[in-house]
C-alpha cells in the first residue's frame, strides 16, 4: 500500500514543479481525463480487493479511458453536445460505487478478523 | 491480496501519473482564477478602444457638419482656433542656457520658465500676431502657459525645452518686437537662454485639438459690469 501513495506523492511534486501549464481552453478536457484516471484507479483497487486484478486491463484502462474521455468531450464541444457533464456524471457515479464496494470489503474483512480473534 | 501486490508497481506508476495530473489541474484552475482580472482588463480596453473610435467618428461628423454651413462658420472656426493656419510670420526657438552656473547663483535663472514664454507671447501678440502655437499646441483664449515641474504645460499638454513658438503675423514687426533694445530677446540673452528667431513666408500653426467646456459660463445679454459685486 506504501508504493501507490509514494507514487502519488512523487507525481504531485513532479506536477507542481513542472514548468508547463495546461491552457485554459483545455482545462475542461484535462479535468475529464483526470476524473477518468481517478475512476480507473478506484476500479483497479476494487478489482484488487475482489481478487480480479489484471495488470493489462488496469494500465490500458487507465490511459485509454482518460484519453477517450477527453476526446469525447472534445468532440462533444465541437458538435454542440455537452458531453462534459455526461462524463462527469458517469465517472463520478462509478467512483462512488467503487468506493462503496471498497468500504464494504474492508468492513467485512475487519469483521472476519475480529471474529477470528 | 497477493494479486494486488503483484500489480502494485503498476498502480504506483499510475499513481505517479495521477498525481501529476492532479497538480497540473490544480495549477490550471488557479491560473484560471488569476486570469479573470486579466480578461476584465482586456474587455475594458476593448471598450475604451470602441469608445475612442466612436468619439473620433462623431468628431469627424461634427467637423463635416460645421464645414457644410458655409463661410460664416468658417470664420467662426478660424476665430475659435479650430482651423490650421499658414501665413508669413516668425518661428522662435528657445532653449535652456548653455552657460555654466556660477557658484552661489540660482540655477533656475538659466532655465526657461513660463514667465519667459509668457513675455515672448505677450510681445508677439502686441505686435499683431494672429495665431500662435507652442510646440504644436495652439494658443486659444483659454490656453494656459505654466511650469509643470521640469516641463511646460500648454492646453494641459506637457512639453519640454527646446520650445518652438510659431506665430503668424507681419514677420517684420514680429521680429522687431522681440529684438528691440531692452526687449525680451536681450533680457533672456543675459542669462544665456538661447533665443533664435527665424522669419518665414510660410509658418504653419496647427489647430486647437482639445475640447471646449463651459461649466460655469452662460451666455447672457450685454450689460454694464458695475455693481456686480454686491
Amino acid at each position: 500500500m506504501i508504493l501507490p501513495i509514494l507514487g502519488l506523492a512523487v507525481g504531485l511534486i513532479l506536477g507542481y514543479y513542472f514548468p508547463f501549464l495546461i491552457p485554459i481552453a483545455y482545462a475542461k478536457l484535462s479535468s475529464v481525463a483526470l476524473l477518468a484516471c481517478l475512476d480507473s484507479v478506484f476500479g483497479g483497487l476494487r478489482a484488487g480487493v475482489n481478487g480480479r486484478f489484471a495488470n493489462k486491463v488496469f494500465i490500458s484502462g487507465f490511459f485509454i479511458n482518460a484519453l477517450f474521455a477527453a476526446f469525447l468531450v472534445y468532440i462533444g464541444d465541437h458538435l454542440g453536445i455537452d458531453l462534459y457533464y455526461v462524463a462527469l456524471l458517469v465517472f463520478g457515479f462509478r467512483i462512488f460505487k467503487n468506493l462503496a464496494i471498497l468500504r464494504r470489503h474492508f468492513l467485512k474483512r475487519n469483521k472476519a478478523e475480529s471474529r477470528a480473534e | 491480496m497477493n494479486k494486488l501486490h503483484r500489480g502494485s508497481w503498476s498502480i504506483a506508476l499510475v499513481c505517479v501519473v495521477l498525481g501529476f495530473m492532479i497538480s497540473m489541474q490544480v495549477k490550471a484552475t488557479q491560473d484560471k482564477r488569476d486570469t479573470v482580472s486579466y480578461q476584465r482588463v482586456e474587455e475594458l480596453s476593448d471598450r475604451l478602444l470602441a469608445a475612442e473610435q466612436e468619439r473620433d467618428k462623431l468628431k469627424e461628423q461634427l467637423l463635416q457638419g460645421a464645414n457644410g454651413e458655409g463661410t460664416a462658420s468658417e470664420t467662426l472656426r478660424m476665430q475659435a482656433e479650430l482651423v490650421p493656419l499658414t501665413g508669413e510670420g516668425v518661428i522662435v526657438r528657445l532653449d535652456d542656457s548653455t552657460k555654466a552656473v556660477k557658484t552661489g547663483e540660482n540655477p533656475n535663472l538659466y532655465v526657461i520658465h513660463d514667465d519667459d514664454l509668457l513675455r515672448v507671447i505677450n510681445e508677439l501678440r502686441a505686435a499683431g500676431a494672429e495665431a500662435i502655437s507652442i510646440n504644436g499646441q495652439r494658443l486659444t483664449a483659454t490656453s494656459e502657459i505654466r511650469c509643470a515641474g521640469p516641463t511646460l504645460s500648454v492646453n494641459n499638454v506637457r512639453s519640454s525645452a527646446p520650445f518652438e513658438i510659431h506665430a503668424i503675423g507681419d514677420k517684420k514687426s514680429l521680429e522687431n518686437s522681440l529684438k528691440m533694445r531692452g526687449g525680451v530677446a536681450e533680457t533672456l540673452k543675459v542669462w544665456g537662454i538661447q533665443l533664435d528667431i527665424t522669419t518665414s513666408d510660410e509658418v504653419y500653426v496647427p489647430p486647437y485639438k482639445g475640447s471646449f467646456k463651459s461649466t460655469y459660463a452662460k451666455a447672457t445679454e450685454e450689460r454694464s459690469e458695475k455693481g456686480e459685486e454686491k
Side-chain angles (χ1 to χ4, degrees), chain A residues 3-4 7-8 11-12 15-16 18 20-21 24 27 30-31 33-34 37 41 51 53 55 58-59 62, chain B residues 3-4 7-12 14-25 27-28 31-32 35:
Chain A
L3 220 52
L8 195 67
L12 280 172
Y16 185 76
F18 200 59
F20 178 74
L21 263 183
I24 291 163
S30 66
S31 67
L34 177 64
C37 292
V41 168
F53 183 80
N55 225 342
F58 178 61
I59 296 269
F62 181 82
Chain B
K3 276 193 177 173
L4 183 62
S8 84
W9 274 108
S10 58
I11 293 190
V14 160
C15 280
V16 170
V17 179
L18 187 70
F20 183 77
M21 284 180 73
I22 288 174
S23 48
M24 287 296 276
Q25 189 69 23
K27 258 161 61 179
D31 189 49
K32 202 153 101 189
T35 50

mmCIF file of all heavy atoms in Angstrom, chain A residues 3-4 7-8 11-12 15-16 18 20-21 24 27 30-31 33-34 37 41 51 53 55 58-59 62, chain B residues 3-4 7-12 14-25 27-28 31-32 35:
data_model
loop_
_atom_site.group_PDB
_atom_site.id
_atom_site.type_symbol
_atom_site.label_atom_id
_atom_site.label_comp_id
_atom_site.label_asym_id
_atom_site.label_seq_id
_atom_site.Cartn_x
_atom_site.Cartn_y
_atom_site.Cartn_z
ATOM 1 N N LEU A 3 3.624 1.807 -1.765
ATOM 2 C CA LEU A 3 4.116 2.168 -3.101
ATOM 3 C C LEU A 3 3.184 3.122 -3.856
ATOM 4 O O LEU A 3 3.657 4.144 -4.390
ATOM 5 C CB LEU A 3 4.355 0.870 -3.883
ATOM 6 C CG LEU A 3 5.617 0.857 -4.746
ATOM 7 C CD1 LEU A 3 6.840 1.259 -3.936
ATOM 8 C CD2 LEU A 3 5.812 -0.519 -5.341
ATOM 9 N N PRO A 4 1.883 2.835 -3.904
ATOM 10 C CA PRO A 4 0.997 3.759 -4.622
ATOM 11 C C PRO A 4 0.983 5.155 -4.013
ATOM 12 O O PRO A 4 1.006 6.160 -4.733
ATOM 13 C CB PRO A 4 -0.376 3.114 -4.483
ATOM 14 C CG PRO A 4 -0.109 1.697 -4.202
ATOM 15 C CD PRO A 4 1.166 1.643 -3.447
ATOM 16 N N GLY A 7 4.033 6.857 -4.961
ATOM 17 C CA GLY A 7 3.917 7.254 -6.367
ATOM 18 C C GLY A 7 3.090 8.505 -6.518
ATOM 19 O O GLY A 7 3.444 9.431 -7.253
ATOM 20 N N LEU A 8 1.999 8.547 -5.772
ATOM 21 C CA LEU A 8 1.116 9.718 -5.829
ATOM 22 C C LEU A 8 1.865 10.971 -5.398
ATOM 23 O O LEU A 8 1.793 12.025 -6.043
ATOM 24 C CB LEU A 8 -0.082 9.471 -4.914
ATOM 25 C CG LEU A 8 -1.265 10.406 -5.103
ATOM 26 C CD1 LEU A 8 -1.920 10.178 -6.443
ATOM 27 C CD2 LEU A 8 -2.278 10.213 -3.983
ATOM 28 N N GLY A 11 4.282 12.017 -8.016
ATOM 29 C CA GLY A 11 3.562 12.630 -9.129
ATOM 30 C C GLY A 11 3.133 14.038 -8.795
ATOM 31 O O GLY A 11 3.257 14.956 -9.618
ATOM 32 N N LEU A 12 2.623 14.228 -7.568
ATOM 33 C CA LEU A 12 2.180 15.560 -7.152
ATOM 34 C C LEU A 12 3.326 16.558 -7.208
ATOM 35 O O LEU A 12 3.190 17.669 -7.726
ATOM 36 C CB LEU A 12 1.613 15.501 -5.725
ATOM 37 C CG LEU A 12 0.187 14.989 -5.579
ATOM 38 C CD1 LEU A 12 -0.158 14.812 -4.110
ATOM 39 C CD2 LEU A 12 -0.791 15.973 -6.219
ATOM 40 N N GLY A 15 4.366 17.276 -10.784
ATOM 41 C CA GLY A 15 3.412 18.169 -11.447
ATOM 42 C C GLY A 15 3.529 19.587 -10.936
ATOM 43 O O GLY A 15 3.408 20.543 -11.694
ATOM 44 N N TYR A 16 3.807 19.703 -9.629
ATOM 45 C CA TYR A 16 3.898 21.045 -9.049
ATOM 46 C C TYR A 16 5.068 21.821 -9.635
ATOM 47 O O TYR A 16 4.982 23.011 -9.885
ATOM 48 C CB TYR A 16 4.050 20.918 -7.532
ATOM 49 C CG TYR A 16 4.034 22.249 -6.844
ATOM 50 C CD1 TYR A 16 2.834 22.947 -6.663
ATOM 51 C CD2 TYR A 16 5.213 22.833 -6.386
ATOM 52 C CE1 TYR A 16 2.820 24.170 -6.043
ATOM 53 C CE2 TYR A 16 5.190 24.062 -5.759
ATOM 54 C CZ TYR A 16 3.984 24.724 -5.588
ATOM 55 O OH TYR A 16 3.979 25.933 -4.991
ATOM 56 N N PHE A 18 6.507 21.156 -12.521
ATOM 57 C CA PHE A 18 6.553 21.111 -13.984
ATOM 58 C C PHE A 18 6.328 22.517 -14.543
ATOM 59 O O PHE A 18 5.413 23.207 -14.118
ATOM 60 C CB PHE A 18 5.453 20.170 -14.477
ATOM 61 C CG PHE A 18 5.681 19.669 -15.872
ATOM 62 C CD1 PHE A 18 6.823 18.955 -16.178
ATOM 63 C CD2 PHE A 18 4.763 19.916 -16.870
ATOM 64 C CE1 PHE A 18 7.035 18.484 -17.458
ATOM 65 C CE2 PHE A 18 4.971 19.454 -18.154
ATOM 66 C CZ PHE A 18 6.117 18.739 -18.440
ATOM 67 N N PHE A 20 5.271 23.660 -17.244
ATOM 68 C CA PHE A 20 4.253 23.858 -18.277
ATOM 69 C C PHE A 20 2.873 23.973 -17.634
ATOM 70 O O PHE A 20 2.589 23.313 -16.636
ATOM 71 C CB PHE A 20 4.316 22.667 -19.235
ATOM 72 C CG PHE A 20 3.294 22.711 -20.330
ATOM 73 C CD1 PHE A 20 3.438 23.600 -21.382
ATOM 74 C CD2 PHE A 20 2.199 21.867 -20.309
ATOM 75 C CE1 PHE A 20 2.499 23.643 -22.391
ATOM 76 C CE2 PHE A 20 1.260 21.907 -21.310
ATOM 77 C CZ PHE A 20 1.422 22.790 -22.355
ATOM 78 N N LEU A 21 2.033 24.828 -18.186
ATOM 79 C CA LEU A 21 0.671 24.988 -17.659
ATOM 80 C C LEU A 21 -0.331 24.531 -18.709
ATOM 81 O O LEU A 21 -0.132 24.769 -19.897
ATOM 82 C CB LEU A 21 0.409 26.461 -17.359
ATOM 83 C CG LEU A 21 0.614 26.911 -15.921
ATOM 84 C CD1 LEU A 21 0.253 28.372 -15.789
ATOM 85 C CD2 LEU A 21 -0.204 26.081 -14.962
ATOM 86 N N ILE A 24 -6.096 27.260 -20.593
ATOM 87 C CA ILE A 24 -7.449 27.280 -20.038
ATOM 88 C C ILE A 24 -8.448 26.587 -20.968
ATOM 89 O O ILE A 24 -9.382 25.939 -20.517
ATOM 90 C CB ILE A 24 -7.870 28.730 -19.767
ATOM 91 C CG1 ILE A 24 -7.046 29.269 -18.608
ATOM 92 C CG2 ILE A 24 -9.335 28.820 -19.399
ATOM 93 C CD1 ILE A 24 -7.059 30.731 -18.486
ATOM 94 N N ALA A 27 -8.535 23.020 -20.096
ATOM 95 C CA ALA A 27 -8.713 22.659 -18.685
ATOM 96 C C ALA A 27 -9.900 21.723 -18.520
ATOM 97 O O ALA A 27 -9.879 20.802 -17.710
ATOM 98 C CB ALA A 27 -8.906 23.919 -17.851
ATOM 99 N N SER A 30 -8.839 18.198 -19.653
ATOM 100 C CA SER A 30 -7.923 17.545 -18.713
ATOM 101 C C SER A 30 -8.651 17.186 -17.430
ATOM 102 O O SER A 30 -8.313 16.193 -16.787
ATOM 103 C CB SER A 30 -6.728 18.439 -18.433
ATOM 104 O OG SER A 30 -7.134 19.597 -17.760
ATOM 105 N N SER A 31 -9.661 17.984 -17.072
ATOM 106 C CA SER A 31 -10.387 17.640 -15.853
ATOM 107 C C SER A 31 -11.171 16.347 -16.059
ATOM 108 O O SER A 31 -11.237 15.511 -15.156
ATOM 109 C CB SER A 31 -11.324 18.779 -15.459
ATOM 110 O OG SER A 31 -12.351 18.924 -16.403
ATOM 111 N N ALA A 33 -10.302 13.967 -18.154
ATOM 112 C CA ALA A 33 -9.291 12.916 -18.190
ATOM 113 C C ALA A 33 -8.875 12.537 -16.772
ATOM 114 O O ALA A 33 -8.708 11.356 -16.448
ATOM 115 C CB ALA A 33 -8.079 13.396 -18.995
ATOM 116 N N LEU A 34 -8.739 13.556 -15.940
ATOM 117 C CA LEU A 34 -8.358 13.313 -14.551
ATOM 118 C C LEU A 34 -9.405 12.472 -13.843
ATOM 119 O O LEU A 34 -9.079 11.533 -13.105
ATOM 120 C CB LEU A 34 -8.193 14.663 -13.846
ATOM 121 C CG LEU A 34 -7.854 14.618 -12.366
ATOM 122 C CD1 LEU A 34 -6.499 13.971 -12.158
ATOM 123 C CD2 LEU A 34 -7.859 16.001 -11.783
ATOM 124 N N CYS A 37 -9.110 8.957 -14.880
ATOM 125 C CA CYS A 37 -7.971 8.321 -14.221
ATOM 126 C C CYS A 37 -8.335 7.904 -12.803
ATOM 127 O O CYS A 37 -8.021 6.795 -12.364
ATOM 128 C CB CYS A 37 -6.788 9.276 -14.182
ATOM 129 S SG CYS A 37 -6.113 9.587 -15.803
ATOM 130 N N VAL A 41 -8.310 4.196 -11.194
ATOM 131 C CA VAL A 41 -7.565 3.806 -10.001
ATOM 132 C C VAL A 41 -8.490 3.124 -9.002
ATOM 133 O O VAL A 41 -8.171 2.066 -8.455
ATOM 134 C CB VAL A 41 -6.887 5.038 -9.369
ATOM 135 C CG1 VAL A 41 -6.359 4.702 -7.978
ATOM 136 C CG2 VAL A 41 -5.757 5.512 -10.255
ATOM 137 N N GLY A 51 -9.908 -9.657 -5.935
ATOM 138 C CA GLY A 51 -9.031 -10.709 -6.431
ATOM 139 C C GLY A 51 -9.110 -10.881 -7.935
ATOM 140 O O GLY A 51 -8.736 -11.910 -8.471
ATOM 141 N N PHE A 53 -7.789 -8.542 -10.091
ATOM 142 C CA PHE A 53 -6.931 -7.509 -10.663
ATOM 143 C C PHE A 53 -6.093 -8.046 -11.814
ATOM 144 O O PHE A 53 -5.450 -9.089 -11.693
ATOM 145 C CB PHE A 53 -5.994 -6.944 -9.586
ATOM 146 C CG PHE A 53 -5.144 -5.834 -10.075
ATOM 147 C CD1 PHE A 53 -5.671 -4.548 -10.170
ATOM 148 C CD2 PHE A 53 -3.833 -6.058 -10.452
ATOM 149 C CE1 PHE A 53 -4.877 -3.504 -10.623
ATOM 150 C CE2 PHE A 53 -3.049 -5.012 -10.917
ATOM 151 C CZ PHE A 53 -3.576 -3.743 -10.989
ATOM 152 N N ASN A 55 -3.224 -6.715 -14.564
ATOM 153 C CA ASN A 55 -2.339 -5.594 -14.837
ATOM 154 C C ASN A 55 -2.651 -4.894 -16.150
ATOM 155 O O ASN A 55 -2.743 -3.662 -16.215
ATOM 156 C CB ASN A 55 -0.902 -6.125 -14.870
ATOM 157 C CG ASN A 55 0.006 -5.198 -14.089
ATOM 158 O OD1 ASN A 55 -0.367 -4.062 -13.846
ATOM 159 N ND2 ASN A 55 1.159 -5.684 -13.696
ATOM 160 N N PHE A 58 -5.827 -2.962 -16.164
ATOM 161 C CA PHE A 58 -5.706 -1.773 -15.348
ATOM 162 C C PHE A 58 -4.981 -0.647 -16.091
ATOM 163 O O PHE A 58 -5.476 0.470 -16.245
ATOM 164 C CB PHE A 58 -4.975 -2.120 -14.052
ATOM 165 C CG PHE A 58 -4.762 -0.955 -13.160
ATOM 166 C CD1 PHE A 58 -5.856 -0.242 -12.653
ATOM 167 C CD2 PHE A 58 -3.485 -0.541 -12.827
ATOM 168 C CE1 PHE A 58 -5.661 0.835 -11.836
ATOM 169 C CE2 PHE A 58 -3.297 0.543 -12.003
ATOM 170 C CZ PHE A 58 -4.384 1.237 -11.510
ATOM 171 N N ILE A 59 -3.776 -0.985 -16.593
ATOM 172 C CA ILE A 59 -2.953 0.032 -17.261
ATOM 173 C C ILE A 59 -3.651 0.570 -18.506
ATOM 174 O O ILE A 59 -3.769 1.790 -18.718
ATOM 175 C CB ILE A 59 -1.583 -0.567 -17.639
ATOM 176 C CG1 ILE A 59 -0.812 -0.964 -16.376
ATOM 177 C CG2 ILE A 59 -0.798 0.407 -18.483
ATOM 178 C CD1 ILE A 59 0.071 0.083 -15.799
ATOM 179 N N PHE A 62 -6.594 2.663 -17.619
ATOM 180 C CA PHE A 62 -6.199 3.964 -17.097
ATOM 181 C C PHE A 62 -5.958 4.966 -18.222
ATOM 182 O O PHE A 62 -6.541 6.045 -18.264
ATOM 183 C CB PHE A 62 -4.938 3.788 -16.251
ATOM 184 C CG PHE A 62 -4.435 5.056 -15.645
ATOM 185 C CD1 PHE A 62 -5.000 5.545 -14.476
ATOM 186 C CD2 PHE A 62 -3.409 5.757 -16.232
ATOM 187 C CE1 PHE A 62 -4.537 6.717 -13.916
ATOM 188 C CE2 PHE A 62 -2.952 6.927 -15.677
ATOM 189 C CZ PHE A 62 -3.511 7.405 -14.509
ATOM 190 N N LYS B 3 -2.565 -10.766 -5.500
ATOM 191 C CA LYS B 3 -2.630 -10.219 -6.857
ATOM 192 C C LYS B 3 -2.474 -8.708 -6.840
ATOM 193 O O LYS B 3 -1.867 -8.113 -7.725
ATOM 194 C CB LYS B 3 -3.951 -10.609 -7.506
ATOM 195 C CG LYS B 3 -3.888 -11.993 -8.134
ATOM 196 C CD LYS B 3 -5.074 -12.225 -9.017
ATOM 197 C CE LYS B 3 -4.955 -13.577 -9.702
ATOM 198 N NZ LYS B 3 -6.161 -13.916 -10.435
ATOM 199 N N LEU B 4 -3.040 -8.102 -5.840
ATOM 200 C CA LEU B 4 -2.912 -6.650 -5.716
ATOM 201 C C LEU B 4 -1.448 -6.268 -5.533
ATOM 202 O O LEU B 4 -0.954 -5.298 -6.094
ATOM 203 C CB LEU B 4 -3.745 -6.167 -4.537
ATOM 204 C CG LEU B 4 -3.772 -4.658 -4.312
ATOM 205 C CD1 LEU B 4 -4.387 -3.961 -5.515
ATOM 206 C CD2 LEU B 4 -4.541 -4.314 -3.061
ATOM 207 N N GLY B 7 0.430 -6.320 -8.669
ATOM 208 C CA GLY B 7 0.154 -5.175 -9.546
ATOM 209 C C GLY B 7 0.524 -3.851 -8.914
ATOM 210 O O GLY B 7 0.246 -2.812 -9.476
ATOM 211 N N SER B 8 1.125 -3.902 -7.743
ATOM 212 C CA SER B 8 1.298 -2.635 -7.037
ATOM 213 C C SER B 8 2.305 -1.709 -7.721
ATOM 214 O O SER B 8 2.240 -0.506 -7.575
ATOM 215 C CB SER B 8 1.655 -2.883 -5.581
ATOM 216 O OG SER B 8 3.036 -3.089 -5.452
ATOM 217 N N TRP B 9 3.215 -2.295 -8.492
ATOM 218 C CA TRP B 9 4.135 -1.420 -9.247
ATOM 219 C C TRP B 9 3.381 -0.632 -10.307
ATOM 220 O O TRP B 9 3.622 0.559 -10.490
ATOM 221 C CB TRP B 9 5.241 -2.256 -9.907
ATOM 222 C CG TRP B 9 6.385 -2.478 -8.965
ATOM 223 C CD1 TRP B 9 6.716 -3.640 -8.359
ATOM 224 C CD2 TRP B 9 7.303 -1.494 -8.498
ATOM 225 N NE1 TRP B 9 7.785 -3.461 -7.539
ATOM 226 C CE2 TRP B 9 8.177 -2.142 -7.596
ATOM 227 C CE3 TRP B 9 7.477 -0.144 -8.746
ATOM 228 C CZ2 TRP B 9 9.206 -1.482 -6.957
ATOM 229 C CZ3 TRP B 9 8.501 0.519 -8.106
ATOM 230 C CH2 TRP B 9 9.349 -0.140 -7.228
ATOM 231 N N SER B 10 2.487 -1.355 -10.943
ATOM 232 C CA SER B 10 1.736 -0.630 -11.988
ATOM 233 C C SER B 10 0.814 0.403 -11.356
ATOM 234 O O SER B 10 0.654 1.503 -11.864
ATOM 235 C CB SER B 10 0.943 -1.624 -12.835
ATOM 236 O OG SER B 10 0.068 -2.356 -12.017
ATOM 237 N N ILE B 11 0.254 0.055 -10.208
ATOM 238 C CA ILE B 11 -0.588 1.035 -9.522
ATOM 239 C C ILE B 11 0.250 2.242 -9.118
ATOM 240 O O ILE B 11 -0.173 3.394 -9.247
ATOM 241 C CB ILE B 11 -1.267 0.402 -8.285
ATOM 242 C CG1 ILE B 11 -2.275 -0.660 -8.742
ATOM 243 C CG2 ILE B 11 -1.972 1.460 -7.454
ATOM 244 C CD1 ILE B 11 -3.155 -1.178 -7.653
ATOM 245 N N ALA B 12 1.454 1.980 -8.671
ATOM 246 C CA ALA B 12 2.341 3.083 -8.282
ATOM 247 C C ALA B 12 2.614 3.983 -9.480
ATOM 248 O O ALA B 12 2.546 5.212 -9.382
ATOM 249 C CB ALA B 12 3.645 2.523 -7.735
ATOM 250 N N VAL B 14 0.783 4.341 -12.112
ATOM 251 C CA VAL B 14 -0.442 5.057 -12.443
ATOM 252 C C VAL B 14 -0.669 6.200 -11.460
ATOM 253 O O VAL B 14 -1.101 7.287 -11.816
ATOM 254 C CB VAL B 14 -1.622 4.057 -12.442
ATOM 255 C CG1 VAL B 14 -2.943 4.763 -12.292
ATOM 256 C CG2 VAL B 14 -1.595 3.241 -13.713
ATOM 257 N N CYS B 15 -0.317 5.935 -10.198
ATOM 258 C CA CYS B 15 -0.489 6.965 -9.193
ATOM 259 C C CYS B 15 0.427 8.151 -9.459
ATOM 260 O O CYS B 15 0.071 9.298 -9.197
ATOM 261 C CB CYS B 15 -0.230 6.404 -7.795
ATOM 262 S SG CYS B 15 -1.653 5.515 -7.171
ATOM 263 N N VAL B 16 1.625 7.872 -9.969
ATOM 264 C CA VAL B 16 2.523 8.981 -10.341
ATOM 265 C C VAL B 16 1.840 9.858 -11.382
ATOM 266 O O VAL B 16 1.773 11.077 -11.257
ATOM 267 C CB VAL B 16 3.862 8.436 -10.881
ATOM 268 C CG1 VAL B 16 4.677 9.564 -11.478
ATOM 269 C CG2 VAL B 16 4.648 7.742 -9.793
ATOM 270 N N VAL B 17 1.308 9.186 -12.406
ATOM 271 C CA VAL B 17 0.624 9.946 -13.465
ATOM 272 C C VAL B 17 -0.570 10.700 -12.902
ATOM 273 O O VAL B 17 -0.800 11.880 -13.207
ATOM 274 C CB VAL B 17 0.183 8.979 -14.591
ATOM 275 C CG1 VAL B 17 -0.552 9.751 -15.669
ATOM 276 C CG2 VAL B 17 1.368 8.245 -15.177
ATOM 277 N N LEU B 18 -1.308 10.011 -12.033
ATOM 278 C CA LEU B 18 -2.497 10.627 -11.448
ATOM 279 C C LEU B 18 -2.117 11.871 -10.633
ATOM 280 O O LEU B 18 -2.725 12.939 -10.777
ATOM 281 C CB LEU B 18 -3.193 9.608 -10.550
ATOM 282 C CG LEU B 18 -4.539 10.028 -9.999
ATOM 283 C CD1 LEU B 18 -5.568 10.081 -11.100
ATOM 284 C CD2 LEU B 18 -4.985 9.088 -8.899
ATOM 285 N N GLY B 19 -1.087 11.725 -9.809
ATOM 286 C CA GLY B 19 -0.640 12.856 -9.003
ATOM 287 C C GLY B 19 -0.209 14.006 -9.874
ATOM 288 O O GLY B 19 -0.545 15.173 -9.624
ATOM 289 N N PHE B 20 0.510 13.661 -10.922
ATOM 290 C CA PHE B 20 0.961 14.671 -11.868
ATOM 291 C C PHE B 20 -0.219 15.437 -12.449
ATOM 292 O O PHE B 20 -0.257 16.668 -12.463
ATOM 293 C CB PHE B 20 1.746 13.969 -12.977
ATOM 294 C CG PHE B 20 2.333 14.889 -13.984
ATOM 295 C CD1 PHE B 20 3.484 15.608 -13.690
ATOM 296 C CD2 PHE B 20 1.737 15.030 -15.229
ATOM 297 C CE1 PHE B 20 4.024 16.453 -14.624
ATOM 298 C CE2 PHE B 20 2.289 15.882 -16.165
ATOM 299 C CZ PHE B 20 3.431 16.592 -15.854
ATOM 300 N N MET B 21 -1.215 14.663 -12.864
ATOM 301 C CA MET B 21 -2.384 15.297 -13.480
ATOM 302 C C MET B 21 -3.135 16.149 -12.472
ATOM 303 O O MET B 21 -3.604 17.240 -12.794
ATOM 304 C CB MET B 21 -3.316 14.227 -14.052
ATOM 305 C CG MET B 21 -2.785 13.652 -15.340
ATOM 306 S SD MET B 21 -3.860 12.413 -16.000
ATOM 307 C CE MET B 21 -5.208 13.411 -16.590
ATOM 308 N N ILE B 22 -3.238 15.643 -11.240
ATOM 309 C CA ILE B 22 -3.976 16.406 -10.222
ATOM 310 C C ILE B 22 -3.300 17.756 -9.990
ATOM 311 O O ILE B 22 -3.940 18.805 -10.001
ATOM 312 C CB ILE B 22 -4.057 15.604 -8.899
ATOM 313 C CG1 ILE B 22 -5.026 14.425 -9.058
ATOM 314 C CG2 ILE B 22 -4.533 16.506 -7.761
ATOM 315 C CD1 ILE B 22 -5.060 13.501 -7.871
ATOM 316 N N SER B 23 -1.975 17.719 -9.826
ATOM 317 C CA SER B 23 -1.331 19.003 -9.524
ATOM 318 C C SER B 23 -1.370 19.930 -10.729
ATOM 319 O O SER B 23 -1.492 21.147 -10.568
ATOM 320 C CB SER B 23 0.088 18.799 -9.015
ATOM 321 O OG SER B 23 0.778 17.920 -9.840
ATOM 322 N N MET B 24 -1.298 19.352 -11.940
ATOM 323 C CA MET B 24 -1.426 20.200 -13.132
ATOM 324 C C MET B 24 -2.793 20.859 -13.163
ATOM 325 O O MET B 24 -2.938 22.039 -13.476
ATOM 326 C CB MET B 24 -1.253 19.350 -14.396
ATOM 327 C CG MET B 24 0.150 18.894 -14.662
ATOM 328 S SD MET B 24 1.271 20.230 -14.969
ATOM 329 C CE MET B 24 0.966 20.474 -16.693
ATOM 330 N N GLN B 25 -3.786 20.065 -12.819
ATOM 331 C CA GLN B 25 -5.157 20.572 -12.852
ATOM 332 C C GLN B 25 -5.349 21.688 -11.819
ATOM 333 O O GLN B 25 -5.946 22.723 -12.098
ATOM 334 C CB GLN B 25 -6.123 19.416 -12.570
ATOM 335 C CG GLN B 25 -7.578 19.747 -12.787
ATOM 336 C CD GLN B 25 -7.878 19.942 -14.251
ATOM 337 O OE1 GLN B 25 -7.163 19.440 -15.095
ATOM 338 N NE2 GLN B 25 -8.919 20.688 -14.541
ATOM 339 N N LYS B 27 -3.056 23.612 -10.677
ATOM 340 C CA LYS B 27 -2.348 24.792 -11.169
ATOM 341 C C LYS B 27 -3.162 25.509 -12.234
ATOM 342 O O LYS B 27 -3.262 26.734 -12.250
ATOM 343 C CB LYS B 27 -0.994 24.380 -11.739
ATOM 344 C CG LYS B 27 0.138 24.665 -10.780
ATOM 345 C CD LYS B 27 1.389 23.886 -11.082
ATOM 346 C CE LYS B 27 1.985 24.165 -12.425
ATOM 347 N NZ LYS B 27 3.206 23.401 -12.672
ATOM 348 N N ALA B 28 -3.752 24.706 -13.126
ATOM 349 C CA ALA B 28 -4.544 25.300 -14.216
ATOM 350 C C ALA B 28 -5.738 26.047 -13.650
ATOM 351 O O ALA B 28 -6.078 27.139 -14.117
ATOM 352 C CB ALA B 28 -5.007 24.207 -15.170
ATOM 353 N N ASP B 31 -4.617 29.218 -12.173
ATOM 354 C CA ASP B 31 -4.265 30.114 -13.259
ATOM 355 C C ASP B 31 -5.509 30.776 -13.833
ATOM 356 O O ASP B 31 -5.538 31.955 -14.128
ATOM 357 C CB ASP B 31 -3.545 29.303 -14.342
ATOM 358 C CG ASP B 31 -2.973 30.207 -15.398
ATOM 359 O OD1 ASP B 31 -2.308 31.171 -15.022
ATOM 360 O OD2 ASP B 31 -3.208 29.932 -16.588
ATOM 361 N N LYS B 32 -6.568 29.986 -13.938
ATOM 362 C CA LYS B 32 -7.818 30.493 -14.480
ATOM 363 C C LYS B 32 -8.348 31.616 -13.595
ATOM 364 O O LYS B 32 -8.789 32.635 -14.069
ATOM 365 C CB LYS B 32 -8.826 29.345 -14.538
ATOM 366 C CG LYS B 32 -9.949 29.582 -15.522
ATOM 367 C CD LYS B 32 -10.499 28.281 -16.037
ATOM 368 C CE LYS B 32 -11.776 27.870 -15.394
ATOM 369 N NZ LYS B 32 -12.166 26.519 -15.762
ATOM 370 N N THR B 35 -6.526 34.794 -14.150
ATOM 371 C CA THR B 35 -6.710 35.497 -15.412
ATOM 372 C C THR B 35 -8.076 36.147 -15.538
ATOM 373 O O THR B 35 -8.318 36.842 -16.502
ATOM 374 C CB THR B 35 -6.507 34.539 -16.602
ATOM 375 O OG1 THR B 35 -7.292 33.391 -16.359
ATOM 376 C CG2 THR B 35 -5.060 34.207 -16.788
#
